[in-house]
Amino acid sequence: MHELAVTEDMLNLVLAEAGKHGAQTVNCVKLVIGEMTGIVSDCVRFYFEQISKDTIAEGATLSFDFVPAAGRCRDCRERFQIADFVWACPNCHSLNIDIVAGRELYLESLEVT
Amino acid sequence: MEIKVLKNILSANDQRAQENQDLFRRHRIVALNVTASPGAGKTSLIMATIKALRDEFRIGVIEGDVSSTIDAKTVDKVGIPVVQINTNGACHLDATMIANAFQNLPIDELDLLIVENVGNLICPASFALGEHRNILVASVPEGHDKPHKYPLMFSKSDAVVLNKIDLIPYVDFDRDQFIEAVNGLRDDARIFEVSCKTRVGLTEWSEWIAAEIQKERAA
């Protein structure tokens, strides 16, 4: 839902990092997105195309590495993937679960020339 | 050439949020980020909190809405300093909006800043504002399954205020399941069961806020 704000911040970060290394062109942007952030990659691509015009990142390919949501049971310590919003430990059925993966939202790397 | 970055995409917002929090700390202001789905009773809870604590503490409010000034007018009517942010379509407040809005409040004359976020349990979970405490207002008619539908927001919330408990006899709301789900996502979350209409449970809630302000003063 908030992909425009995320894409704006992402582009700013891309341009700042590319600028630090004296890049002329950004060819590829690698992003890591956790499932629980709800970020939709097609929306990010769409906004990126629009707002990166006339910057050194115009035309860059976005690649997404998606991280599935995972929890760890506080009772039996089982680590498991959370599918379909089922928040129960598959091992002991406890609801006491810490979210251990799926919140990721970061810029991993850039390919520049 | 490959550049390894490994930086949070929202790090600029996180940085600004930290600056907000530092500013609040210097002025010994406790800031609350109040989130909820639309209609859960954020404004009602804020009004009840003002009523309970205004004699003891100096309160300021930032109202966030996609549009309109309805909520800010409600707060202004009782003589509490308030700033309205209209996000013009954006689904959440961010730290820069708070920094700008806060300049319009009397910074040296506040103990408690209450920020009413945009009614939405998804997007505000990703944007820190500089708050000391995240408060989530849930309400009985929404159903007891909401913690597991919006786990990120619930897992971030230091306190969950379950509003409209006077409606429990009329709707299929399983209180025990709700509480089990909230504590399952976050075992140290405080849960307050209130009705802003009948005023039940509000004393315990406002005492907790008062204790949070005292803690900040003693820090």
Side-chain angles (χ1 to χ4, degrees):
Chain A
M1 289 172 80
H2 46 290
E3 281 80 359
L4 178 57
V6 167
T7 309
E8 284 169 340
D9 282 9
M10 187 262 284
L11 177 63
N12 288 336
L13 191 55
V14 166
L15 295 177
E17 292 293 326
K20 263 192 233 168
H21 291 82
Q24 305 289 311
T25 315
V26 179
N27 304 311
C28 182
V29 177
K30 278 182 100 171
L31 304 164
V32 178
I33 310 283
E35 184 186 353
M36 295 188 61
T37 62
I39 297 293
V40 179
S41 56
D42 282 351
C43 294
V44 175
R45 280 206 175 91
F46 173 77
Y47 287 130
F48 189 82
E49 232 172 72
Q50 305 297 318
I51 65 176
S52 66
K53 274 182 191 149
D54 304 320
T55 73
I56 60 167
E58 181 174 354
T61 312
L62 302 187
S63 92
F64 293 86
D65 187 1
F66 293 102
V67 183
R72 184 183 291 115
C73 177
R74 284 199 294 275
D75 295 325
C76 76
R77 309 307 294 166
E78 173 93 349
R79 191 187 196 277
F80 59 96
Q81 280 199 7
I82 295 159
D84 301 326
F85 288 98
V86 176
W87 286 85
C89 172
N91 185 42
C92 74
H93 310 296
S94 162
L95 298 185
N96 297 323
I97 292 158
D98 289 327
I99 300 166
V100 292
R103 302 173 195 260
E104 298 77 4
L105 188 61
Y106 63 89
L107 172 59
E108 184 173 87
S109 63
L110 301 174
E111 175 59 44
V112 301
T113 44
Chain B
M1 173 176 66
E2 194 195 23
I3 306 171
K4 274 276 170 207
V5 182
L6 296 173
K7 273 192 188 158
N8 189 325
I9 291 170
L10 299 177
S11 51
N13 184 70
D14 292 344
Q15 170 66 32
R16 186 56 82 90
Q18 187 59 53
E19 288 164 20
N20 287 345
Q21 192 171 88
D22 293 346
L23 179 70
F24 299 151
R25 281 248 145 84
R26 277 201 301 281
H27 292 269
R28 297 193 168 256
I29 298 167
V30 168
L32 308 179
N33 178 13
V34 182
T35 56
S37 48
K42 291 186 297 301
T43 310
S44 301
L45 183 72
I46 290 168
M47 296 311 290
T49 310
I50 289 170
K51 196 172 176 191
L53 296 177
R54 66 179 305 164
D55 293 340
E56 207 178 336
F57 303 108
R58 299 164 301 176
I59 303 172
V61 175
I62 295 176
E63 284 290 344
D65 278 296
V66 170
S67 64
S68 90
T69 55
I70 298 166
D71 290 347
K73 280 180 185 149
T74 308
V75 175
D76 183 60
K77 225 181 258 176
V78 297
I80 290 290
V82 58
V83 182
Q84 176 80 49
I85 299 174
N86 279 152
T87 62
N88 295 320
C91 47
H92 59 274
L93 297 178
D94 65 31
T96 305
M97 294 178 195
I98 297 303
N100 292 338
F102 190 63
Q103 289 175 4
N104 297 303
L105 287 173
I107 184 163
D108 290 317
E109 294 160 29
L110 290 181
D111 304 305
L112 176 65
L113 172 67
I114 307 177
V115 179
E116 179 173 344
N117 215 313
V118 178
N120 175 348
L121 288 177
I122 302 170
C123 312
S126 297
F127 295 85
L129 306 179
E131 68 275 8
H132 296 84
R133 292 280 179 247
N134 279 296
I135 314 295
L136 191 156
V137 186
S139 69
V140 163
E142 293 166 46
H144 54 256
D145 54 358
K146 290 303 164 287
H148 287 169
K149 287 194 169 179
Y150 304 100
L152 213 50
M153 198 69 243
F154 274 87
S155 68
K156 257 192 78 167
S157 298
D158 304 288
V160 173
V161 180
L162 177 61
N163 188 23
K164 311 186 190 180
I165 56 160
D166 50 318
L167 297 182
I168 279 189
Y170 310 105
V171 292
D172 294 327
F173 183 91
D174 189 322
R175 173 190 171 274
D176 294 342
Q177 270 193 40
F178 178 82
I179 288 172
E180 192 181 20
V182 170
N183 283 140
L185 286 165
R186 178 151 171 181
D187 53 0
D188 65 343
R190 291 291 307 260
I191 301 175
F192 298 94
E193 295 170 67
V194 311
S195 165
C196 291
K197 182 133 184 108
T198 68
R199 313 200 66 77
V200 67
L202 289 172
T203 306
E204 200 187 348
W205 155 254
S206 49
E207 281 173 359
W208 181 72
I209 296 296
E212 290 296 310
I213 299 169
Q214 300 295 4
K215 240 194 273 174
E216 182 63 22
R217 281 182 177 173

